[in-house]
Amino acid sequence: MSFQINQSSCDMPLSQSAIETTKIPYRSFCARAAAGFVLAMSISFIGADKSYAAEHVIEMTAKDISDDGFGNKLLAYQMLSHKIDGLDVTDRYSNAPTIPGPIIELTEGDKVKLTLLNAIDPAYPVAGASKQVSVHVHGVHYKILSDGTLRVINRKLDEGAGEGPEDTFASYEYEWDVAPGTAGTWPYHDHNYENHNGSEHKGLFGAIIVNPAATPRPQNSYKFSKEYVLYLGDDAFWGVEIDSTTKKQTKHGVNPTLNAPKNTDVRFHLIALGTDLHNFTLNNYKWFDPGTHNLINQVAIGPLEKHVFVIRSKNSTQYVDNNFSNKLLGMKGRFIVD
Amino acid sequence: MKEQIIKFNKHIAAMAVVMLFAVGFLSSSMAMAAVHSFNFTAKTLPNGQLGYATGGSDAEAVIPGPALFVKQGDTIQVTLTNSTAVDVGFNVPGLVNSNSAKATPGQTQNYTLHANKTGTYVYHGDNNGKELLGLFGAIIVDKKNGPIDSFVNGDGSIVPVTQADIDKQFVLFMVGSTFWGTEISADGVQKPLWAAPNLGAVENDLVRFHVLAIGPGHTFHLHAHRWLKTDTATVIDTKLLNDGTDTHSFTIKAGSGVGPGDWQFHCHLIAHMEAGMHGSFRVDAAGSGDGASVVGASPYGNILLGARPSEPGVVTLEVSDEPASWFRSPRGDAIVGLPFDIKSKSLEVMYPGSSVNFVMSDTNGVHTISSLLWPTGAHHMPFDQSAAYRGGGIVKLTTPGLYVFTCKVHPYMFGAVIVDDPETEGLDLGNPAMDYKIDLVTGITGLPTSSDLAVRLLRTFFVATSPSNWQDYSTGIWNLKFPTLPVRISGAPFGNIQDGGLALALSALNVVDAPLAVGAAPEKPGVGEVWVNTQFEKTAGKYKPGTTTVVDTTNWTVKRKVALPEINNNNPHNMWTNRDQSVIYQTQWFDTKLSMINRETGALIKNITVGNTPSHVVTLPSNDDLTIAINGENGVAIIPAGTTSVSKMLPTQAHGHTSANPHGHWVSADGTKIVTPNINTNDIGIYGATGGIHARTPTGNNAPGAHPIAIGMMPDSSKIYAANLLHHSLSVVDGANGALLKTINLIADYNPIDGSFADNDGNGAIAVGVLPIQSPVSPDGKAVVIAATGGQIVIVDTKTDKIVKMLPCDPGCHGANFGAKEGGGYYAYVTTKFGNRLTVVDIDPDNNGDISDAHIAGYVSLVDTPSTAKDDTVSSLPGFGGQGVLAVPNVYNGWVQNLPDVWKSGLTAAQRNPVGH
Ligand SMILES: [Cu+2]
Ligand SMILES: [Cu+2]
């Protein structure tokens, strides 16, 4: 069975934003937004079927969680506060640390100020290791001081919260420029905990979804009834389901059962991490390979690659990683259409 | 530089335009097709790596090989002269090649290729993994006219670029876990950047990257830059380069939208990142830097016998399935040929600031590349990865001294690098600034290199990596030779220390022409057969090592050799058998397979993929299902009885947690529990046979890297015994709840500084077990027999959990398992890796329940005889590599009750029901 409505939107923005760039004086608009009219504008334009740059003020923390009963820990990000042009949207996130971490929805043209705190038990990990966490984001623009890496890499600072090998900060602020040309789904992850590779594989990962500027806001994913972010790890999927109307993020965890109303369009955001290479299938569905008109029913994906596709929900099925060992470990989940 | 923004209202339109262009170029290019001729020479570089050179015979070979830039429709003619000692081809996956033959050493071959498709292609030497040593390069086929690529500008526009727009290009090969680079200037001049370079550009330079991979796959990520998925308008910043050969070319505008900075590029596989697979892309602000790249580590650089001491050098160790040469220098033969009597091909020498590079080029398994010891105070130590993987590694070493690397999965794989201070006489074995001391991964710091323990470790290295130092009982004589080079160590007592710490050469420890005799066979026969994995024995009909040697215990002769040449049987490691004892299950530890063998004929029944690096196999006594520890991964594979494929893998850790990497597991007598020693997480895991984690009990008193490696269990499953290889201890754990009951120190009686033995633990026996491996409990539950690779057999009384006896064992003592003794009681069969006889231990000769009189009942040569049945001819290392051992019939409680009557009839009543007596 093959169902597909249209191009997955992540490859549309480039052409559209290019048009946008020529139509409106983008930079001057941003300058105005940054000059302090943000709040007033956002209030007056909320609900308007038009695209504006917004300012996101985000505060996140990192915690140690999920003691497995035998003293082994994972790490996770937690959203503390997310305001869009002053409007508090924190309730779309879980109020606990989750794996994957918060999925942050942005639109081309937006600006982000993300402050990261560190609430990991200082007794962990081992002595001598870096106790600093960071957020290193993919896809969007940022200057070197927002790279979220250790000084040994960026030659500037240990860019995170907590005790790094050279620099210590109680909190660290990152600035992202969600510039034109950055639409798409991108991972963010730690780069500093324990060592300069970070601890992304211990649970410190999340994603941003950058919608194209030309799509109307605030309902810029109106086309999709549900969105799913599925991280492919070395033994399981770590997923989250997002209701496109309420923006609520639920079902965090391992191999989640995903739900979709029948005959609606839903969007999958796959990202891999760890050491394994994967081969993903959503049994009995086909979709367009992003940026092409090739219908595919499986995709090879490696760590920190992303693969975004849209299907119309018709029948319940399973999503599966066909990597030899992962499949035997039961790395799959249910996709329930009702 | 011209920039033109093209806007696509609809993707369809874009594709149509592209197709139109393509057709146009294709037709025009046919008319203008050029023929490019290249003279290639394959050469051996100073560090033993291989590479291609273009130009005359004096031209220097480079890694990656010369990049070939051609246009679509062109013809490429390559004349390849092979100056190496191995066959070399010129294979280009994706392009039609006139010739698939390889040039033998000294020979020349011609290859004609048609560049009919645009794209980036790998060319390589096509020589069974040797191409990963440097015989690879890039062919870039661009469109004949017009733009060759597009980049994503900082303002989001997609800008086409022509060749003339490009400021510089990089070829980056991802090989093992190392980047090998070439920089190509705007005028086409190619400059080798060698291994692990740092790239540079000036802000807004248009830089084209050609990222290629050969061997195990990778993902390439460059911080803060975006580019296009090939032939689409989709923006990406990470790209999979899949296993085999794969390529990805893209263009970026340096720092566009993000500004200057040291932007990291790296493989995004965690294990590869941990293995050093990263570099910096430095973007200089215009006017504040020249954007120059920093050349990496060169095979011509500052290493022993290197050509250019002023440049950072690189030595390479190939990870191999080959006995003794598990970390083999590609110039190992030359090093062995030096006049210093070095017998090991796994020892390299270089100078501070150079790097050691690892590449898993000759193995079917997964591994880690992990520090075992290093000079006290050395940077970048310990080198380690959090999971086993396929790939390699690279690390720069600046502190003089000895660095020994191992694989955590296969902990006798050893490779060593001496970083020598060229200003001093003798080789530095420790850090000169720290009195030549070393640190061990097990938490021992500041160990003098003159200590008995340090010398033992050195001896172990030179035995394990030098087959000529092994004890071959078929020759009747034993020579143990160490290098004649003088070394600098900490001081007394070892050696004749002179001012400045110069010691006698290690060859002072040589053993010369010592007589070697197998010894007498046990007087009393055993019952049935003993199957021994002689894992290093080589045979003529296959490339990979290993046989299984079947001993007839009624007359103590070698009855059969099972080599399985038809499947290139690779390092057979451990075995179990089915209920009726008709099928032997055997793991291939450096591979992905489990073999099923007909016990009576030695014929292969089935070779089954079970997962990366399977170590041990045990059946569930309750239903005869197979449980296979997947040592390179994170679970126990299950093959249901009577079937021949894995139905599921039981995870050995909670989701997302560090992979446990179980090695030598055991199963409770009732078949409900699987108990694994988890080498990567240093704990004992107790799991339900149908799933579920019941307990995870840390071993080794929280010392780092205790490395529990094998499990034994009481016949009533009341207690679990785990040998901790690197902690030299035996953990005793409650079989019901996993509680740690006791940790028995196996080296309490050993003084690591002066090497003296004394009854320090006051248990009445002077007994030491250095590097314990297998620790089975006798079927009657009386004794734990521990095979310690340091060359001892240690016996523990389960009533007191105290050591009662130490017996001698050959170097590399490894496997132990019990079989029935004729007329009652049990023999423990003990194998050794670096000797070729089987040691038979009688744990209770007078069968009175007191095991303090345990003794060696006799020995059996594992070398084949004219009367030995075999499926292949033994070619070298006869009978060596003893590891897993299995007695048939299987007389452990829980299994013995399931034996067919024909087997039961040979056992005493007590043997048939060991718990009831
Ligand atoms: Cu990699
Ligand atoms: Cu290994």
Side-chain angles (χ1 to χ4, degrees), chain B residues 133-446:
Chain B
L133 288 177
L135 292 168
F136 48 78
I139 298 177
I140 293 104
V141 182
D142 283 323
K143 282 184 229 164
K144 197 98 197 166
N145 304 105
I148 55 169
D149 203 352
S150 298
F151 69 92
V152 183
N153 204 3
D155 63 5
S157 55
I158 296 178
V159 184
V161 286
T162 64
Q163 186 64 55
D165 298 330
I166 306 275
D167 293 296
K168 62 169 70 175
Q169 302 186 73
F170 295 110
V171 170
L172 279 182
F173 255 91
M174 301 174 83
V175 184
S177 298
T178 301
F179 284 99
W180 291 88
T182 305
E183 179 169 332
I184 298 124
S185 66
D187 54 4
V189 176
Q190 300 194 12
K191 176 186 177 187
L193 297 178
W194 303 117
N198 289 323
L199 312 180
V202 174
E203 192 175 1
N204 294 328
D205 275 356
L206 285 187
V207 183
R208 197 172 181 211
F209 283 80
H210 306 282
V211 183
L212 301 92
I214 182 166
H218 308 274
T219 52
F220 177 84
H221 172 54
L222 168 61
H223 283 204
H225 291 77
R226 285 143 296 279
W227 60 89
L228 296 176
K229 177 176 168 181
T230 307
D231 293 335
T232 75
T234 295
V235 181
I236 60 174
D237 74 351
T238 306
K239 178 68 174 72
L240 171 68
L241 291 129
N242 224 328
D243 295 339
T245 56
D246 203 354
T247 71
H248 180 60
S249 292
F250 61 92
T251 301
I252 54 135
K253 186 156 118 182
S256 187
V258 298
D262 284 275
W263 302 109
Q264 195 186 34
F265 66 90
H266 58 97
C267 175
H268 228 309
L269 275 63
I270 287 287
H272 289 185
M273 292 162 72
E274 292 169 326
M277 197 164 195
H278 44 76
S280 182
F281 176 53
R282 183 185 176 87
V283 177
D284 288 328
S288 75
D290 59 3
S293 299
V294 181
V295 176
S298 160
Y300 295 90
N302 197 18
I303 63 173
L304 178 72
L305 308 175
R308 296 198 289 266
S310 62
E311 299 175 7
V314 61
V315 296
T316 285
L317 295 171
E318 284 179 274
V319 179
S320 161
D321 297 341
E322 186 67 16
S325 294
W326 299 287
F327 285 101
R328 178 181 59 213
S329 168
R331 56 175 182 166
D333 290 334
I335 286 174
V336 169
L338 292 171
F340 305 120
D341 218 8
I342 298 172
K343 302 294 184 192
S344 173
K345 295 179 186 175
S346 304
L347 175 67
E348 266 291 358
V349 179
M350 64 183 201
Y351 304 106
S354 291
S355 298
V356 54
N357 173 53
F358 302 88
V359 58
M360 299 184 196
S361 54
D362 189 25
T363 177
N364 294 343
V366 294
H367 306 275
T368 70
I369 296 160
S370 306
S371 293
L372 199 57
L373 61 88
W374 58 90
T376 300
H379 294 293
H380 306 136
M381 291 290 122
F383 189 72
D384 195 13
Q385 303 81 38
S386 58
Y389 62 101
R390 294 190 165 79
I394 187 162
V395 58
K396 185 175 185 172
L397 303 176
T398 51
T399 305
L402 171 70
Y403 298 75
V404 178
F405 299 89
T406 188
C407 164
K408 286 189 291 188
V409 181
H410 309 97
Y412 54 70
M413 296 173 63
F414 296 126
V417 179
I418 295 172
V419 177
D420 186 44
D421 180 350
E423 300 301 313
T424 60
E425 192 189 343
L427 289 174
D428 301 287
L429 294 191
N431 181 356
M434 306 290 274
D435 191 26
Y436 299 93
K437 288 176 176 165
I438 54 173
D439 291 353
L440 308 187
V441 71
T442 46
I444 296 173
T445 57

